[in-house]
Amino acid sequence: QVQLVESGGGSVQAGGSLKLSCAASGFTYSGHCMGWFRQAPGKEREGVAVISSGGGTTYYADSVKGRFTISQDNAKNTLYLQMNSLKPEDTAMYYCAATPGFYCLSLMTKDFRYWGQGTQVTVSS
């Protein structure tokens, strides 16, 4: 059974940092594209960053480039998202996602098969 369990969310002030983690199990981690997505109240879920487990290639949404870093530890089947210089508009529920494939092809939610339950990030001004 596929499981993606996020942790590390919380409340911070603008300019602060948080690091999210996603523990994956129930599938062959190295054969999947992994990603972080977020959904703010009243908005659609959007892609934040993805990383190909095959080669580590990364893609970021323009809104987080230079501030967020996606990484992974294949030995631990764990995905991370380091978030720096946080802004109030980063406030959202953050989800970990996975989909079969050695390389990531998009940041679109429809292309991801497995989803975690999410962890809340709240940034105050």
Side-chain angles (χ1 to χ4, degrees):
Q1 180 180 358
V2 173
Q3 280 196 315
L4 298 171
V5 181
E6 303 96 335
S7 61
S11 297
V12 295
Q13 289 192 326
S17 298
L18 282 174
K19 186 173 185 177
L20 306 183
S21 298
C22 171
S25 62
F27 64 98
T28 305
Y29 185 92
S30 61
H32 285 68
C33 166
M34 303 295 297
W36 287 100
F37 293 76
R38 66 186 182 186
Q39 187 167 18
K43 296 188 176 181
E44 292 188 354
R45 191 172 299 188
E46 63 177 1
V48 174
V50 295
I51 184 167
S52 60
S53 58
T57 302
T58 58
Y59 298 98
Y60 295 90
D62 289 343
S63 59
V64 305
K65 281 181 182 177
R67 300 188 298 123
F68 291 11
T69 302
I70 189 171
S71 63
Q72 60 191 354
D73 185 334
N74 285 18
K76 296 182 178 179
N77 288 359
T78 302
L79 180 72
Y80 303 100
L81 184 69
Q82 177 68 47
M83 305 185 294
N84 298 328
S85 302
L86 282 161
K87 304 176 181 180
E89 51 262 45
D90 295 318
T91 295
M93 185 72 78
Y94 283 71
Y95 297 90
C96 173
T99 200
F102 286 101
Y103 299 100
C104 297
L105 302 179
S106 82
L107 274 165
M108 300 181 70
T109 58
K110 68 179 182 64
D111 292 329
F112 282 75
R113 182 178 298 181
Y114 307 118
W115 293 86
Q117 294 300 307
T119 186
Q120 178 67 38
V121 172
T122 302
V123 184
S124 58
S125 58

